[in-house]
């Protein structure tokens, strides 16, 4: 489950539930690369959206199903 709170017009705050050991390893990798965990997650999300849209076409936000 992800909790979403609008902070600014295009910035969301979220809560992510994840396995503790995997997150600690992920945090190590982010630090090793000189990035924050948040920036790495943002990068991965952007890459995944780009890959999906390349394969399936542009996602129109207004056509998304309600939560």
């Amino acid at each position: 489950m992800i909790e979403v709170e609008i902070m600014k017009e295009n910035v969301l705050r979220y809560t992510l539930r994840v396995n503790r050991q995997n997150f600690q390893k992920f945090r190590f990798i982010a630090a090793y690369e000189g990035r924050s965990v948040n920036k790495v997650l943002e990068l991965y999300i952007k890459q995944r959206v780009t890959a999906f849209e390349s394969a399936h076409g542009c996602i129109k936000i207004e056509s998304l199903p309600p939560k």
Side-chain angles (χ1 to χ4, degrees):
M1 177 177 176
I2 297 176
E3 295 176 12
V4 177
E5 175 186 322
I6 298 176
M7 292 174 53
K8 293 183 181 178
E9 191 168 319
N10 290 323
V11 177
L12 300 175
R13 171 178 245 169
Y14 60 90
T15 301
L16 176 67
R17 293 184 178 105
V18 64
N19 175 278
R20 183 178 304 274
Q21 186 176 7
N22 284 336
F23 183 78
Q24 289 170 334
K25 290 179 180 183
F26 186 73
R27 188 171 51 192
F28 176 89
I29 293 166
Y32 182 85
E33 295 174 346
R35 297 185 171 132
S36 70
V37 167
N38 192 73
K39 286 298 178 188
V40 175
L41 288 172
E42 187 176 7
L43 175 64
Y44 287 168
I45 290 169
K46 286 179 184 178
Q47 289 173 344
R48 182 63 183 117
V49 168
T50 298
F52 184 92
E53 289 184 328
S54 291
H56 302 284
C58 183
I59 300 169
K60 294 185 170 87
I61 299 301
E62 60 275 359
S63 67
L64 294 176
K67 295 189 229 177

